[in-house]
Amino acid sequence: MPPRPRKSKTANAMWGGRFAAGPAAVMQQINASIDVDKRLYAQDIRGSLAHCEMLIRRKILSAKDGAAIRRGLRRVLAEIESGKFRFQTALEDIHMNVEARLAELIGPAAGRLHTARSRNDQVATDFRLWVRDAIDGLDQRLRNLQRALIDKAERHAGSVMPGFTHLQPAQPVTFGHHLLAYVEMLGRDRGRLADCRRRLNESPLGAAALAGTSFPIDRVMTAKALGFDRPMANSLDAVSSRDFALEFLSAASVAGIHLSRLADELVLWTTPQFGFVRLSDAYTTGSSIMPQKRNPDAAELVRAKTGRLLGSLVGLSVMMKGLPLAYSKDMQEDKERVFAAADALDLSLAAMAGMIADLTVDTDAMRRAATGGFSTATDIADWLVRALGLPFREAHHVTGRIVRLAEERGGTLEDLPLAALQAIEPRITRAVAGVLGVERSVASRTSYGGTAPANVRKAAREARRRYLRA
């Protein structure tokens, strides 16, 4: 039989009046969250300072006690930031660790700070502040990656590469056009995070445990002091909702999926079979046994970290789906998932921006690949529609026969003599040669959003204006 867990000798001094004895050691271990939620220290102290100022203004707290609390909280903050603060598991979480140290510094006045609030509204406030700060940091990371992509796209607005569908050569595009597709995706990622930030920017502080408080507090004052747009309208909702965290994880997961797609293309493009781009020593690693290897490990790890983001979203969704109102201790598990996801996305964005800025492009290899796979076949079909007036479906059929002939002869579409083309469609003239080169193909795609180099240069300028100068 396993040994019986030892019991703690005394109840928690912060909440233990109802209890005659302390928790079992294993209970203390499972109940504590300080190893995770100590990351909330700055937000917790900021919220406490705002709460303190409001209590003074509403004459719930004396100016003398308020001054001592302010002074003590600032010293606690300095101790944590300097690494001198000793976090205690027995005190469970960041809120009680801060309050206990405050009591050591200023005495009984520290206990007055918790008037008219609960750990329930306190943690909800801290968590919203943290996610808001994380969104602001991630927005800058996304912006930096957009800048790296736009810079590279401008330099390669006319560099022809194969465009793919089903990972098969489809039509030629330019490398700049391809990169700008990710700029647009990242722009929507920034929009989703901004929407999340806007919706979460309401203050739970003052909702207390779940029902509000009988003290004459001013929730508008604390909301304004903390940069929130308004107080949350319902005290039950304020302490029990974590939809802001779910929305954050959802937006982060979509961003991670976009990064994973780009990372996977970098992995493909750096292989000898593609050879489109090269990453330097800064973003590759070698092999312990094969001296010739240059592995795109940074890209592979970005691709892998998307699993952390999606796992965090699923984990928090499952945790929240069956919880009755208001607060349950299950919700203590929310922060670890959000912290892990934010860290993974932040690191992935930094690594991807570095890779994009670092990579060199083999334009010759890209062009050679673009000329293969009969990628200008659609240009022939379009020419048949424009020049001969064929219905597109008929033009598609004629072009398919032309492609089959080129394939049988083991050459390209440009290698076929005019007589061979006319044997399939007698009305074809020498003018069809004007659409067969890959450079001509991309230059012809002048529709809005198309891959023509002039379009790409204009789109890069517009993306720089929209995303980087705001």
Side-chain angles (χ1 to χ4, degrees):
M1 293 179 61
R4 294 177 63 185
R6 291 178 297 171
K7 290 187 177 181
S8 181
K9 292 182 179 179
T10 59
N12 190 304
M14 308 300 287
W15 51 258
R18 168 68 174 78
F19 295 79
V26 69
M27 175 59 190
Q28 190 174 78
Q29 184 178 2
I30 197 172
N31 192 47
S33 61
I34 187 60
D35 287 344
V36 173
D37 63 28
K38 64 185 177 184
R39 290 182 65 168
L40 297 173
Y41 75 88
Q43 291 79 16
D44 191 69
I45 291 173
R46 184 180 174 192
S48 290
L49 286 168
H51 186 64
C52 176
E53 293 300 325
M54 182 275 296
L55 293 178
I56 295 169
R57 177 81 60 85
R58 300 297 295 171
K59 302 189 184 307
I60 301 169
L61 181 67
S62 71
K64 179 181 178 182
D65 285 343
I69 289 169
R70 280 195 302 266
R71 186 170 58 252
L73 286 172
R74 289 174 182 137
R75 179 169 170 184
V76 172
L77 179 63
E79 289 178 357
I80 295 174
E81 291 181 338
S82 67
K84 296 178 181 178
F85 190 92
R86 188 171 65 88
F87 294 102
Q88 299 181 56
T89 301
L91 292 172
E92 298 181 11
D93 56 33
I94 184 61
H95 324 297
M96 293 171 68
N97 268 265
V98 169
E99 185 176 334
R101 178 57 179 151
L102 183 64
E104 290 175 352
L105 292 171
I106 70 170
R112 302 187 187 281
L113 176 61
H114 208 55
T115 306
R117 74 173 181 182
S118 161
R119 278 192 294 177
N120 294 354
D121 63 333
Q122 189 177 357
V123 70
T125 302
D126 294 357
F127 200 17
R128 283 176 184 260
L129 289 171
W130 193 95
V131 172
R132 194 177 71 185
D133 291 343
I135 287 172
D136 293 343
L138 290 169
D139 182 75
Q140 186 59 50
R141 289 286 197 199
L142 286 159
R143 189 172 183 270
N144 291 343
L145 177 52
Q146 285 181 303
R147 178 185 289 107
L149 289 163
I150 292 169
D151 289 346
K152 198 70 73 173
E154 286 179 328
R155 287 196 289 275
H156 292 281
S159 300
V160 178
M161 68 175 289
F164 299 92
T165 62
H166 307 277
L167 206 55
Q168 303 295 316
Q171 293 177 298
V173 296
T174 72
F175 189 55
H177 188 60
H178 194 110
L179 295 181
L180 289 179
Y182 284 104
V183 172
E184 296 303 316
M185 294 181 204
L186 297 171
R188 293 192 294 275
D189 291 329
R190 291 177 67 186
R192 274 182 283 271
L193 286 170
D195 287 344
C196 174
R197 190 191 194 285
R198 176 176 55 82
R199 269 185 289 276
L200 72 77
N201 205 38
E202 297 182 340
S203 175
L205 193 58
L210 75 162
T213 178
S214 59
F215 288 94
I217 63 173
D218 185 346
R219 294 190 63 206
V220 172
M221 178 183 172
T222 51
K224 183 177 180 180
L226 295 171
F228 289 114
D229 295 329
R230 62 191 67 85
M232 295 186 73
N234 183 283
S235 60
L236 284 168
D237 178 47
V239 300
S240 64
S241 293
R242 294 296 184 269
D243 53 345
F244 70 93
L246 289 167
E247 187 174 3
F248 170 75
L249 292 176
S250 177
S253 294
V254 175
I257 290 168
H258 290 156
L259 292 178
S260 182
R261 296 182 73 179
L262 179 54
D264 193 61
E265 293 195 308
L266 289 178
V267 172
L268 288 172
W269 292 343
T270 56
T271 62
Q273 291 78 6
F274 277 77
F276 290 176
V277 304
R278 179 182 176 89
L279 294 171
S280 74
D281 295 353
Y283 291 95
T284 56
T285 64
S287 165
S288 64
I289 190 172
M290 295 170 283
Q292 83 281 8
K293 294 293 294 297
R294 179 187 292 274
N295 300 322
D297 282 6
E300 291 171 356
L301 288 166
V302 168
R303 185 174 59 184
K305 287 188 184 296
T306 305
R308 293 194 182 204
L309 300 171
L310 290 165
S312 293
L313 173 60
V314 172
L316 185 57
S317 299
V318 172
M319 188 195 83
M320 292 298 300
K321 71 174 184 62
L323 293 186
L325 300 183
Y327 181 85
S328 297
K329 199 60 178 268
D330 311 51
M331 293 162 69
Q332 182 169 284
E333 295 290 304
D334 54 4
K335 287 166 284 297
E336 187 169 11
R337 291 173 169 87
V338 170
F339 293 164
D343 290 346
L345 182 56
D346 183 76
L347 182 58
S348 295
L349 287 166
M352 185 58 75
M355 282 186 283
I356 294 299
D358 173 80
L359 65 82
T360 56
V361 181
D362 189 333
T363 55
D364 291 337
M366 282 186 172
R367 190 192 182 283
R368 286 194 301 271
T371 61
F374 313 108
S375 65
T376 56
T378 305
D379 296 275
I380 296 178
D382 289 345
W383 184 88
L384 291 170
V385 172
R386 285 195 308 270
L388 305 184
L390 269 63
F392 182 80
R393 286 302 168 203
E394 183 179 347
H396 187 286
H397 180 75
V398 170
T399 305
R401 292 174 61 193
I402 293 171
V403 169
R404 187 171 67 222
L405 178 62
E407 191 172 38
E408 289 169 352
R409 292 191 175 197
T412 68
L413 295 174
E414 293 174 273
D415 295 332
L416 291 174
L418 179 60
L421 297 174
Q422 290 175 333
I424 295 172
E425 171 48 68
R427 291 175 289 174
I428 293 177
T429 68
R430 294 184 185 280
V432 74
V435 301
L436 290 179
V438 291
E439 282 82 7
R440 294 189 187 98
S441 177
V442 297
S444 72
R445 307 292 170 180
T446 57
S447 60
Y448 180 77
T451 192
N455 280 26
V456 174
R457 293 184 184 97
K458 182 178 179 181
R461 289 194 300 270
E462 174 62 18
R464 192 177 294 281
R465 183 192 67 78
R466 278 189 292 145
Y467 296 125
L468 304 185
R469 294 177 184 169

